[in-house]
Every structure is written in structure tokens, then in C-alpha cells.
Amino acid sequence: MERALIVIDVQNEYVTGRLPISHPNLDVSLPNIGQAMDAAQAHDVPIVVTQDTGAADDPIFAEGSDNWRLHEVVARRPRHHLVRKPLPGAFTGTDLDLWLRQHSIDTVSLAGYMSHHCIDTTARQALHAGFAVEILADATGTLALDNDGGTVSARQLHEVTLAVMHSRFAAVTTTNQWVAALASTTPLPHGNLLESVT
């Protein structure tokens, strides 16, 4: 098994911008993202960082703006590859698939923001492309939604997304469990749809 840690869109927009992450609290997710990057570096696991990139006049993630920039937890740590992506899925319109295959990666471990949006989309894309997927539950997060489709709290949205992911798409784990697994070549377990149905 050859892992890569993909750190998705840990940008100021989610910390001091218009989309503040609220569950898990940033005091939880940001240190865990840093811990995962440090552990990956120590175990020679390649680190890919993605950056949501919009047009200069977009209301969020406007290229060149302070909120578009990577948060310092990620910006000050080493990485092996940077992917600037135009859409939620990290595989769409980028060289991520090619880069992973060139480096013989078969398992992608996802951390970053948001669990229901770019993490969810990237996990589905990765599975469909033939990669095994892991999600570090406490190294990601989301926010509450209220629109014509419905209203959901950040906690509900985070938990529902991860339950769906673990039922088929990914092994959902904690940062500490993931770090412990780096010393082993055994894949982290995930559930399946039949086991998940109550």
C-alpha cells in the first residue's frame, strides 16, 4: 500500500473569511491537520496540498486575495505537490490523477475542508478512479447550511457525510489512528452498505 496525504483547501477563507468552519471546531481540526502533515513527512508519505482558486472578482476564494491564501498551518509545512483546483473535486481540471499514478500511489488520505463538499466529492472521485480512500474525521470540518433545500447544523452535516463515506467510499478514522497506521502496511478498515443499514 502506497499512501499520499491530500490536504484539501486549508485556506484563510475557512478561518477568517466568509465560510468559517464550525464543526469540529478549528481548534480541533487545524492542529490535527498539522499533526497529519508532520507524521506524513516523518514516514515519507507524499503530501499534496490543494487550493480552491476562483477568479479575481469572485466573492470567495478570489485568486490573490488574503482569504484565498493557504492557512499558515499548511503554508509553513513542506509539501510535495500543489494543486490549484477550480471545482470541489480535486481530480477535476487538475493533474492530481496523473501525479498520483506517476508516484505509484494507491491510497489517498484526505484532510481539510469541507467534509460535505470538497472532501466528499474528492473521495467519490478517488474511489471511482480506483484508489482506496481514507478520511481523517477530526482533521476536517464543515459549517451549517440553510437554503431552499433544507436546514442542517454543522455537526449533523459532518456526521452524516462521514457516515455515508464509511458505508462505501472511504475508511473514516481519527488522526491518531491514521498516524498509528502509518507504521503498518495494513489498510484501515471501512464498513459497507449492508453492515451500515440499521
Side-chain angles (χ1 to χ4, degrees):
M1 179 175 59
E2 295 293 335
R3 282 184 173 95
L5 175 64
I6 305 181
V7 181
I8 296 181
D9 302 352
V10 183
Q11 294 164 253
N12 291 332
E13 194 72 70
Y14 289 123
V15 181
T16 56
R18 300 179 67 179
L19 300 173
I21 297 296
S22 56
H23 186 83
N25 191 285
L26 287 165
D27 290 343
V28 173
S29 61
L30 284 172
N32 285 330
I33 290 165
Q35 179 189 355
M37 292 182 74
D38 292 344
Q41 185 73 16
H43 286 85
D44 296 320
V45 172
I47 299 168
V48 178
V49 171
T50 78
Q51 187 174 22
D52 198 325
T53 300
D57 59 350
D58 282 354
I60 53 175
F61 302 110
E63 186 171 5
S65 68
D66 183 65
N67 286 335
W68 166 78
R69 292 186 175 88
L70 296 171
H71 187 270
E72 61 94 17
V73 164
V74 170
R76 64 183 167 85
R77 286 179 161 87
R79 60 180 179 257
H80 298 86
H81 191 53
L82 176 66
V83 172
R84 289 186 176 153
K85 63 184 189 61
L87 290 166
F91 288 85
T92 301
T94 74
D95 67 349
L96 179 59
D97 187 274
L98 176 62
W99 191 92
L100 293 171
R101 296 187 193 283
Q102 287 176 337
H103 291 81
S104 302
I105 302 301
D106 56 29
T107 301
V108 293
S109 305
L110 308 182
Y113 305 125
M114 292 183 284
S115 46
H116 78 281
H117 206 250
C118 299
I119 296 287
D120 177 291
T121 305
T122 299
R124 292 170 188 267
Q125 289 181 323
L127 178 73
H128 292 173
F131 297 97
V133 185
E134 300 166 339
I135 297 174
L136 284 60
D138 54 1
T140 182
T142 191
L143 39 68
L145 295 180
D146 182 9
N147 58 36
D148 289 344
T151 301
V152 61
S153 73
R155 180 171 187 158
Q156 289 172 320
L157 188 54
H158 185 70
E159 291 178 352
V160 166
T161 298
L162 295 182
V164 171
M165 289 291 101
H166 198 71
S167 74
R168 176 65 178 92
F169 301 94
V172 176
T173 188
T174 67
T175 301
N176 285 338
Q177 289 169 334
W178 183 81
V179 169
L182 294 181
S184 168
T185 58
T186 304
L188 288 165
H190 64 77
N192 61 56
L193 187 58
L194 286 177
E195 291 174 349
S196 299
V197 174
T198 59

